[in-house]
Amino acid sequence: MKLEGSVVLVTGANRGIGAEFVSLLKERGAAKIYAAARDASSVQADGVEVIELDVTDAAQIEAAARAAGDVQVLVNNAGISTGTALVTGDEATIRREMDTNFYGPLLLTRAFAPVLRANGGGAVLNVISALSWFSTPSAGAYAASKAAAWMLTDSTRLELASQGTHVVGVHMGLVDTDMVKGIDAPKIDPAAVVDAALDAIESGAQEVLADDWATFVKSGLLLDPKERYGQIFAALGAS
């Protein structure tokens, strides 16, 4: 579908990748952008309709779907990373990460599916991660939530195909945002991720590997786990 003239809702639109979605959607001629964030006052973009939306709050999600009944593209971007391990980490924190990174996009997709159908099908874009395909000892909760988001993307793509809704998953390594500002490693520009994601909506592509790291990690999925993780950790050490 063409983004020019479209109506788009972006979650987590106040900073990082979300703010870049808002900026580049304007450049591509989107007719209306709903910029959603937990704290509406934190959205600084001009020319958008701001929605206060906590993606872990089912009532707010339903209210957003009622308020934004003209949406044609849903961008599930909001996410958190707490650095929590699965075995020793705080259970409430693990649940919060899963609620934000998996259940949030799930509930938003469920709420907006009828809206998208009524508006011609449209598209859902899920911002995932290369960590949907591997983990580290301190990132178990995040990796588990992103692996779930990957399968959410594949499953909803099948379920929504009959109503003409295009579902896209975006995977990438480290992106130069506040979430990873304390990590000293190569990072991709948020604009590059968003450009690739928006290109996929317009071209009909179903999956985006936004950088070399995502491509590298996915290429090892057929390997034995020991071999796959050996390659990944060797690459991490080299970087």
Side-chain angles (χ1 to χ4, degrees):
M1 65 173 291
K2 288 292 185 183
L3 289 167
E4 185 176 2
S6 66
V7 180
V8 187
L9 186 146
V10 181
T11 67
N14 56 323
R15 61 180 184 172
I17 296 174
E20 200 65 47
F21 267 110
V22 171
S23 177
L24 293 185
L25 281 164
K26 287 181 181 180
E27 289 186 13
R28 295 198 184 210
K32 184 191 293 186
I33 301 169
Y34 292 99
R38 283 185 297 176
D39 177 4
S41 67
S42 66
V43 178
Q44 301 299 315
D46 296 324
V48 300
E49 294 202 20
V50 178
I51 294 181
E52 189 161 302
L53 176 60
D54 181 341
V55 301
T56 68
D57 187 320
Q60 287 192 14
I61 289 173
E62 292 297 333
R66 291 192 298 270
D70 52 350
V71 164
Q72 297 167 296
V73 179
L74 169 65
V75 178
N76 284 315
N77 164 73
I80 60 171
S81 176
T82 65
T84 303
L86 289 175
V87 177
T88 59
D90 176 63
E91 182 182 342
T93 303
I94 294 169
R95 288 184 181 275
R96 182 164 67 90
E97 198 145 2
M98 189 65 73
D99 284 343
T100 304
N101 296 346
F102 171 71
Y103 281 105
L106 171 61
L107 294 180
L108 278 154
T109 300
R110 288 166 63 96
F112 276 92
V115 174
L116 296 174
R117 181 178 64 243
N119 294 325
V124 176
L125 187 144
N126 295 328
V127 177
I128 313 178
S129 170
L131 275 161
S132 57
W133 299 318
F134 80 104
S135 186
T136 65
S138 62
Y142 184 79
S145 69
K146 290 300 187 176
W150 177 34
M151 192 47 59
L152 161 70
T153 302
D154 281 1
S155 296
T156 54
R157 182 182 298 121
L158 297 175
E159 293 183 41
L160 296 177
S162 62
Q163 70 172 48
T165 300
H166 172 208
V167 180
V168 184
V170 182
H171 300 260
M172 61 284 175
L174 294 176
V175 183
D176 193 9
T177 66
D178 288 345
M179 183 180 286
V180 296
K181 64 182 179 181
I183 299 176
D184 182 17
K187 300 168 187 175
I188 186 174
D189 187 334
V193 175
V194 174
D195 260 332
L198 297 182
D199 284 347
I201 291 176
E202 295 200 314
S203 71
Q206 296 181 341
E207 186 170 81
V208 176
L209 303 180
D211 60 3
D212 291 342
W213 182 248
T215 302
F216 167 68
V217 173
K218 191 178 184 188
S219 70
L221 287 179
L222 292 178
L223 299 175
D224 177 90
K226 183 176 180 180
E227 184 179 0
R228 181 170 74 251
Y229 273 85
Q231 289 186 0
I232 289 172
F233 288 130
L236 286 172
S239 63

